[in-house]
Amino acid sequence: MTVSLDIEEMLEDAYIAILEANTYVVANSIPVRRWRDADNDKVYPVIVVHADNVSTDPAFGNIFLATPALVTVSAMTLKRVDTDSADINTLRNEIRGTLSSSTIVDDLNAEVSGLNIYDNGVFWGSASSDEDTNTIRRRDVQQEVTATVVDVP
């Protein structure tokens, strides 16, 4: 029997669980959402997680990710509330601190079933961006994740 895995969703859920445990996020009741669910809430501040670029390598029976998954974590605040960018910068620093943990691979592997993230398999992505619209401040950080698909019972 073939099991279809939504690797992007699995990674997003793992990142969400780790970020939801951050002391600052908990103390300030900041929701952490999957990117495809975030537009339904329109709550700010918010952290949004998006995994993409995932493809498996059929030459190896679809057990290896052909390319590292790219996980983008976005912090967003309302510009009219966060007038001096202090909130968005604090939130981005909390995200970076959490994702820079020396135990990030172990933490992700503890949260995800069906993948094995390699030791040293999490790297900072090549892009980080600051984007402000008329109403929203957004700061993105990216990580690349290398993993193998494992048997799912």
Side-chain angles (χ1 to χ4, degrees), residues 33-44 46-48 76:
R33 303 281 186 257
R34 220 183 263 114
W35 70 277
R36 55 192 127 184
D37 301 334
D39 283 345
N40 299 335
D41 294 339
K42 300 290 185 190
V43 174
Y44 297 95
V46 66
I47 298 172
V48 177
M76 292 188 258

Side-chain angles (χ1 to χ4, degrees), residues 46-59:
V46 66
I47 298 172
V48 177
V49 180
H50 181 205
D52 64 3
N53 200 39
V54 175
S55 61
T56 54
D57 190 341

Side-chain angles (χ1 to χ4, degrees), residues 20-93:
E20 284 179 331
N22 175 283
T23 306
Y24 179 84
V25 170
V26 171
N28 291 282
S29 302
I30 298 171
V32 185
R33 303 281 186 257
R34 220 183 263 114
W35 70 277
R36 55 192 127 184
D37 301 334
D39 283 345
N40 299 335
D41 294 339
K42 300 290 185 190
V43 174
Y44 297 95
V46 66
I47 298 172
V48 177
V49 180
H50 181 205
D52 64 3
N53 200 39
V54 175
S55 61
T56 54
D57 190 341
F60 294 99
N62 288 326
I63 61 170
F64 294 105
L65 299 189
T67 57
L70 184 62
V71 179
T72 303
V73 179
S74 304
M76 292 188 258
T77 61
L78 284 175
K79 211 171 183 180
R80 65 178 164 75
V81 175
D82 186 15
T83 57
D84 61 357
S85 298
D87 295 340
I88 193 74
N89 291 330
T90 299
L91 190 53
R92 177 175 46 190
N93 289 338

